[in-house]
Amino acid sequence: MVRAFWVDGSGEPDFANRYHFFTKTLSQRLRQQRNIAARLRESLKKDEFELLFQPQIDVKTGKFTSCEALLRWRPLDEESAVPPNIFIPIAERSELIADIGRWVLEKTCQQSKKWKQKGIGVRIDINVSGKELEKSSFFERLTACRSHYGLSPEDIGLELTENVLIKSDNAILENLRAQRDLGVKNL
């Protein structure tokens, strides 16, 4: 039965007038995804992730307005970084996205504090997965992390996809509104 859920590659059951065959190719793909998930867990322990900060420029004024924290995974046993389009979907399916999101939030707040100490006051926007928002502790963790580093709500922005907003329940939307009312930029 477990294999039946994975046949279409999504990891979600889909029984609506469809059938699929579990092939050797699908089996290999599943094995590869499980391997990547295991490596992601190990990489979190070994701190094999890094954040790059992409400047955001206002096209009307040409001024630097904020930056976006871009997550990169650089396993020590690889020659180059693993692309986010490979590891993020696997992290979301394996529930590792919350742990990775915690790492991103912590490192972003650390960087923001360092910049503020140097007189660089710029908002850093982080991408937040719908799975992270579903965890009731996300907003408390966001507030606690900002507080720990002496940051204001305006210092850390949240980037959300339209899909996340469409699928969000009322509790998540209320929490997002409350953060916005505090000054958090929700993009």
Side-chain angles (χ1 to χ4, degrees), residues 73-159:
W73 179 28
R74 298 189 188 279
L76 296 176
D77 60 348
E78 296 282 331
E79 289 184 27
S80 61
V82 178
N85 64 321
I86 300 293
F87 74 87
I88 295 293
I90 293 170
E92 287 184 334
R93 283 194 296 271
S94 66
E95 301 295 323
L96 283 168
I97 199 67
D99 295 331
I100 292 171
R102 245 188 308 281
W103 184 94
V104 168
L105 179 60
E106 183 76 22
K107 296 297 183 184
T108 299
C109 288
Q110 285 175 2
Q111 186 63 53
S112 182
K113 180 179 179 176
K114 286 178 187 175
W115 284 347
K116 287 183 89 159
Q117 289 172 336
K118 293 180 179 183
I120 304 168
V122 63
R123 184 184 78 236
I124 303 175
D125 300 326
I126 59 173
N127 292 293
V128 181
S129 162
K131 295 237 181 198
E132 287 179 87
L133 292 178
E134 290 170 4
K135 304 278 185 198
S136 60
S137 61
F138 173 79
F139 294 100
E140 291 84 9
R141 193 170 54 253
L142 172 64
T143 301
C145 198
R146 280 192 319 245
S147 176
H148 177 78
Y149 289 98
L151 303 175
S152 68
E154 295 86 4
D155 292 327
I156 306 295
L158 304 177
E159 285 208 12

Side-chain angles (χ1 to χ4, degrees), residues 1-180:
M1 186 56 104
V2 171
R3 288 182 177 178
F5 292 152
W6 284 91
V7 167
D8 70 350
S10 72
E12 300 294 328
D14 180 12
F15 301 113
N17 300 317
R18 294 174 50 180
Y19 66 92
H20 297 275
F21 294 101
F22 193 76
T23 65
K24 186 175 181 177
T25 303
L26 287 173
S27 179
Q28 290 170 338
R29 187 167 54 176
L30 285 174
R31 219 178 350 267
Q32 181 183 30
Q33 289 180 5
R34 282 194 306 267
N35 181 34
I36 290 172
R39 291 182 65 210
L40 281 169
R41 273 187 201 84
E42 195 61 32
S43 287
L44 272 169
K45 293 175 189 171
K46 294 179 178 178
D47 204 28
E48 295 179 337
F49 291 93
E50 70 176 332
L51 290 178
L52 304 178
F53 298 96
Q54 178 176 340
Q56 304 294 305
I57 309 295
D58 184 319
V59 294
K60 291 180 183 175
T61 65
K63 291 186 179 183
F64 175 62
T65 58
S66 64
C67 62
E68 180 181 1
L70 303 174
L71 179 65
R72 295 297 178 258
W73 179 28
R74 298 189 188 279
L76 296 176
D77 60 348
E78 296 282 331
E79 289 184 27
S80 61
V82 178
N85 64 321
I86 300 293
F87 74 87
I88 295 293
I90 293 170
E92 287 184 334
R93 283 194 296 271
S94 66
E95 301 295 323
L96 283 168
I97 199 67
D99 295 331
I100 292 171
R102 245 188 308 281
W103 184 94
V104 168
L105 179 60
E106 183 76 22
K107 296 297 183 184
T108 299
C109 288
Q110 285 175 2
Q111 186 63 53
S112 182
K113 180 179 179 176
K114 286 178 187 175
W115 284 347
K116 287 183 89 159
Q117 289 172 336
K118 293 180 179 183
I120 304 168
V122 63
R123 184 184 78 236
I124 303 175
D125 300 326
I126 59 173
N127 292 293
V128 181
S129 162
K131 295 237 181 198
E132 287 179 87
L133 292 178
E134 290 170 4
K135 304 278 185 198
S136 60
S137 61
F138 173 79
F139 294 100
E140 291 84 9
R141 193 170 54 253
L142 172 64
T143 301
C145 198
R146 280 192 319 245
S147 176
H148 177 78
Y149 289 98
L151 303 175
S152 68
E154 295 86 4
D155 292 327
I156 306 295
L158 304 177
E159 285 208 12
L160 310 164
T161 64
E162 290 175 6
N163 200 26
V164 167
L165 294 173
I166 290 169
K167 291 182 177 181
S168 295
D169 64 20
N170 285 337
I172 291 171
L173 294 174
E174 282 301 314
N175 277 316
L176 287 169
R177 282 187 204 101
Q179 290 294 318
R180 183 197 61 210

